[in-house]
Amino acid sequence: MTPHIGLELKTVIIFTALAMLGLVIDLFAHRADKPVSIKAASFWTLFWIAIGTSFGIFLYYYYSADVAALYFTGYALEMSLSVDNLFSIMAVFSWFGVKSGYTHRVLYWGIIGAVIFRLLFVLVGTALFALGAYVEIVFALLVALSAILMMTKKENEEISDFSAHPAYRLVKFFIPLYPKIFGHNFFISKKQVEQELLKEENKGITLKRKGHFFATPLFLCLAIVETSDLMFAFDSVPAVIAVSKDPFIVYSCMIFAIMGLRSMYFILDALKNTLVHLEKAVIALLFFIAFKLFASASLHLFGFGIEVGIQESLVVIASVLAIGIVSSLIFKGNKETK
């Protein structure tokens, strides 16, 4: 039987304290909008992994090894599934011409939205799973479909024009736009815009709409990143819930994984042409999760099937990830020339 811990007060307090402490330290350290080097990104990635691991260790001693295994399995799964979403975000930053000093700011505020939306998705998802084994079959099909879509995606398939993105159009509909990045500001006032238009290099800029404040391309970038994460949640949340149906375990492992991925973004950006087989590992994991869900549902409904245990799931996920990373380093391929 899969363990459930519910909303035990001490556990909720420790989770909240660790998450808030990490966010405050991170925000203070990156307040100057300086570009994040690989060395700094590695340090902050280890910092967030340490925080996430600390909570897992707490679960081990306060509850049991099975609860900790559920947490670490979901943590590793969310980290691996999020890689593909990070590569999509790289394309967004590239199209908007966002400097590396500002990417951390966009990713940081993107986390705030992820914290809220993940909570809603987890609550709805776990409630649906509680309806019975037939729901597990539906979720298994959804996860398998996500894997198939990743397999059929063209190698160099990227959005070349984000001006047609729904989030871009929605912001443009409600808020006047200023077409140039203005420091790290998401919005600027009418007075600031008027001052900018007086500058010689901005003589050719014409504003289609006027207002008391204007959204900058950095806010448009944030809106698209949030939308991308929201769509990604449709894939990742069912997969992680398949590991543990306890809402708090699912939510905590997802949040700590997402927080660490903001720092890992800068490492992945430098290694995007190196980790050529990592996406194949992610696809394999999605098929494994789909099989786990279907086999469990079949066992309960028809009497034949298997129940993949907590420890076995953790071993499979860790092994597949390791194979994907090691094979990328050994068999580097030639991705950039394809």
Side-chain angles (χ1 to χ4, degrees), residues 79-80 83-84 87 150 268 274-285 320-325 327-328:
M79 290 277 278
S80 60
V83 169
D84 198 54
F87 286 141
M150 287 183 68
L268 289 172
T274 301
L275 300 175
V276 293
H277 299 301
L278 189 57
E279 187 175 59
K280 298 182 182 70
V282 173
I283 292 171
L285 286 178
V320 171
L321 279 178
I323 291 171
I325 294 171
S327 63
S328 296

Short mmCIF file of all heavy atoms in Angstrom, two decimals, residues 79-80 83-84 87 150 268 274-285 320-325 327-328:
data_model
loop_
_atom_site.label_atom_id
_atom_site.label_comp_id
_atom_site.label_asym_id
_atom_site.label_seq_id
_atom_site.Cartn_x
_atom_site.Cartn_y
_atom_site.Cartn_z
N MET A 79 12.45 16.47 -12.25
CA MET A 79 13.67 17.08 -12.77
C MET A 79 13.91 16.65 -14.21
O MET A 79 14.21 17.46 -15.09
CB MET A 79 14.86 16.70 -11.90
CG MET A 79 14.88 17.33 -10.53
SD MET A 79 15.56 19.00 -10.49
CE MET A 79 17.30 18.65 -10.43
N SER A 80 13.77 15.36 -14.47
CA SER A 80 14.06 14.83 -15.81
C SER A 80 13.01 15.29 -16.83
O SER A 80 13.35 15.65 -17.96
CB SER A 80 14.12 13.31 -15.77
OG SER A 80 12.90 12.75 -15.32
N VAL A 83 13.34 18.98 -18.24
CA VAL A 83 14.45 19.36 -19.12
C VAL A 83 13.93 19.83 -20.47
O VAL A 83 14.38 20.84 -21.02
CB VAL A 83 15.43 18.18 -19.28
CG1 VAL A 83 16.43 18.46 -20.39
CG2 VAL A 83 16.17 17.94 -17.96
N ASP A 84 12.98 19.10 -21.04
CA ASP A 84 12.45 19.46 -22.36
C ASP A 84 11.79 20.84 -22.31
O ASP A 84 11.89 21.62 -23.26
CB ASP A 84 11.45 18.41 -22.83
CG ASP A 84 11.19 18.47 -24.33
OD1 ASP A 84 12.17 18.43 -25.09
OD2 ASP A 84 10.03 18.61 -24.72
N PHE A 87 14.44 23.58 -22.47
CA PHE A 87 14.93 23.81 -23.83
C PHE A 87 13.96 24.71 -24.61
O PHE A 87 14.39 25.54 -25.41
CB PHE A 87 15.15 22.49 -24.56
CG PHE A 87 16.36 21.73 -24.10
CD1 PHE A 87 16.33 20.35 -23.97
CD2 PHE A 87 17.54 22.39 -23.76
CE1 PHE A 87 17.45 19.65 -23.54
CE2 PHE A 87 18.66 21.70 -23.33
CZ PHE A 87 18.62 20.32 -23.22
N MET A 150 6.60 13.50 -28.24
CA MET A 150 8.02 13.84 -28.16
C MET A 150 8.82 13.05 -29.19
O MET A 150 9.76 13.58 -29.79
CB MET A 150 8.55 13.55 -26.75
CG MET A 150 8.09 14.53 -25.69
SD MET A 150 8.82 14.19 -24.06
CE MET A 150 10.55 14.57 -24.38
N LEU A 268 22.26 23.77 -18.49
CA LEU A 268 21.68 23.10 -19.67
C LEU A 268 21.85 23.95 -20.92
O LEU A 268 22.02 23.43 -22.02
CB LEU A 268 20.20 22.81 -19.43
CG LEU A 268 19.89 21.71 -18.42
CD1 LEU A 268 18.40 21.65 -18.13
CD2 LEU A 268 20.38 20.36 -18.91
N THR A 274 25.27 18.97 -26.03
CA THR A 274 26.01 17.82 -25.51
C THR A 274 25.09 16.71 -25.04
O THR A 274 25.31 15.52 -25.32
CB THR A 274 26.93 18.26 -24.35
OG1 THR A 274 27.83 19.26 -24.82
CG2 THR A 274 27.72 17.07 -23.82
N LEU A 275 24.01 17.08 -24.33
CA LEU A 275 23.08 16.08 -23.78
C LEU A 275 22.09 15.62 -24.85
O LEU A 275 20.87 15.75 -24.71
CB LEU A 275 22.36 16.67 -22.57
CG LEU A 275 23.26 17.10 -21.42
CD1 LEU A 275 22.45 17.77 -20.32
CD2 LEU A 275 24.03 15.90 -20.86
N VAL A 276 22.64 15.04 -25.92
CA VAL A 276 21.82 14.73 -27.09
C VAL A 276 20.89 13.53 -26.88
O VAL A 276 19.93 13.36 -27.63
CB VAL A 276 22.73 14.48 -28.32
CG1 VAL A 276 23.43 15.75 -28.73
CG2 VAL A 276 23.75 13.38 -28.04
N HIS A 277 21.20 12.69 -25.92
CA HIS A 277 20.37 11.49 -25.69
C HIS A 277 19.48 11.61 -24.47
O HIS A 277 18.78 10.65 -24.12
CB HIS A 277 21.27 10.25 -25.56
CG HIS A 277 22.10 9.98 -26.78
ND1 HIS A 277 21.54 9.74 -28.02
CD2 HIS A 277 23.44 9.92 -26.95
CE1 HIS A 277 22.51 9.54 -28.91
NE2 HIS A 277 23.66 9.65 -28.29
N LEU A 278 19.49 12.76 -23.81
CA LEU A 278 18.70 12.92 -22.60
C LEU A 278 17.20 12.89 -22.90
O LEU A 278 16.41 12.34 -22.13
CB LEU A 278 19.07 14.23 -21.89
CG LEU A 278 18.47 14.43 -20.50
CD1 LEU A 278 18.85 13.28 -19.58
CD2 LEU A 278 18.93 15.76 -19.91
N GLU A 279 16.81 13.46 -24.04
CA GLU A 279 15.40 13.46 -24.39
C GLU A 279 14.89 12.04 -24.62
O GLU A 279 13.75 11.71 -24.27
CB GLU A 279 15.15 14.31 -25.64
CG GLU A 279 13.67 14.48 -25.95
CD GLU A 279 13.42 15.41 -27.12
OE1 GLU A 279 13.93 15.12 -28.22
OE2 GLU A 279 12.73 16.41 -26.93
N LYS A 280 15.74 11.17 -25.17
CA LYS A 280 15.35 9.76 -25.35
C LYS A 280 15.09 9.10 -23.99
O LYS A 280 14.17 8.29 -23.85
CB LYS A 280 16.44 9.01 -26.11
CG LYS A 280 16.70 9.52 -27.52
CD LYS A 280 17.77 8.68 -28.20
CE LYS A 280 18.09 9.20 -29.60
NZ LYS A 280 18.80 10.50 -29.58
N ALA A 281 15.91 9.48 -22.99
CA ALA A 281 15.71 8.94 -21.65
C ALA A 281 14.38 9.42 -21.06
O ALA A 281 13.66 8.64 -20.42
CB ALA A 281 16.87 9.36 -20.75
N VAL A 282 14.04 10.68 -21.32
CA VAL A 282 12.77 11.23 -20.84
C VAL A 282 11.59 10.50 -21.48
O VAL A 282 10.60 10.17 -20.82
CB VAL A 282 12.69 12.74 -21.13
CG1 VAL A 282 11.31 13.28 -20.79
CG2 VAL A 282 13.76 13.49 -20.33
N ILE A 283 11.70 10.22 -22.78
CA ILE A 283 10.64 9.48 -23.48
C ILE A 283 10.48 8.08 -22.88
O ILE A 283 9.36 7.61 -22.65
CB ILE A 283 10.97 9.39 -24.99
CG1 ILE A 283 10.89 10.78 -25.63
CG2 ILE A 283 10.02 8.42 -25.70
CD1 ILE A 283 11.41 10.83 -27.05
N ALA A 284 11.61 7.43 -22.61
CA ALA A 284 11.56 6.10 -22.00
C ALA A 284 10.89 6.14 -20.63
O ALA A 284 10.10 5.25 -20.28
CB ALA A 284 12.98 5.53 -21.88
N LEU A 285 11.16 7.20 -19.86
CA LEU A 285 10.55 7.33 -18.54
C LEU A 285 9.03 7.52 -18.65
O LEU A 285 8.27 6.98 -17.85
CB LEU A 285 11.17 8.52 -17.79
CG LEU A 285 12.58 8.30 -17.25
CD1 LEU A 285 13.08 9.57 -16.57
CD2 LEU A 285 12.62 7.14 -16.27
N VAL A 320 17.60 5.02 -15.83
CA VAL A 320 17.33 5.55 -17.17
C VAL A 320 17.96 6.93 -17.33
O VAL A 320 18.56 7.24 -18.37
CB VAL A 320 15.81 5.61 -17.44
CG1 VAL A 320 15.52 6.36 -18.74
CG2 VAL A 320 15.23 4.20 -17.52
N LEU A 321 17.85 7.76 -16.30
CA LEU A 321 18.48 9.08 -16.35
C LEU A 321 20.00 8.96 -16.49
O LEU A 321 20.62 9.68 -17.28
CB LEU A 321 18.14 9.88 -15.09
CG LEU A 321 16.80 10.58 -15.05
CD1 LEU A 321 16.62 11.27 -13.71
CD2 LEU A 321 16.67 11.58 -16.17
N ALA A 322 20.59 8.08 -15.70
CA ALA A 322 22.04 7.89 -15.74
C ALA A 322 22.48 7.42 -17.13
O ALA A 322 23.48 7.91 -17.68
CB ALA A 322 22.47 6.89 -14.68
N ILE A 323 21.73 6.48 -17.70
CA ILE A 323 22.06 5.98 -19.05
C ILE A 323 21.97 7.11 -20.07
O ILE A 323 22.83 7.25 -20.95
CB ILE A 323 21.11 4.82 -19.43
CG1 ILE A 323 21.41 3.60 -18.56
CG2 ILE A 323 21.26 4.47 -20.91
CD1 ILE A 323 20.40 2.48 -18.71
N GLY A 324 20.92 7.95 -19.97
CA GLY A 324 20.77 9.06 -20.90
C GLY A 324 21.91 10.05 -20.83
O GLY A 324 22.41 10.53 -21.86
N ILE A 325 22.35 10.37 -19.61
CA ILE A 325 23.44 11.34 -19.44
C ILE A 325 24.78 10.75 -19.86
O ILE A 325 25.54 11.37 -20.62
CB ILE A 325 23.51 11.80 -17.96
CG1 ILE A 325 22.25 12.59 -17.60
CG2 ILE A 325 24.76 12.65 -17.72
CD1 ILE A 325 22.12 12.90 -16.13
N SER A 327 25.41 8.15 -21.84
CA SER A 327 25.47 7.88 -23.29
C SER A 327 25.65 9.17 -24.08
O SER A 327 26.29 9.17 -25.13
CB SER A 327 24.20 7.15 -23.74
OG SER A 327 23.05 7.95 -23.52
N SER A 328 25.11 10.29 -23.58
CA SER A 328 25.30 11.58 -24.24
C SER A 328 26.75 12.01 -24.18
O SER A 328 27.29 12.59 -25.13
CB SER A 328 24.42 12.65 -23.60
OG SER A 328 23.05 12.37 -23.78
#
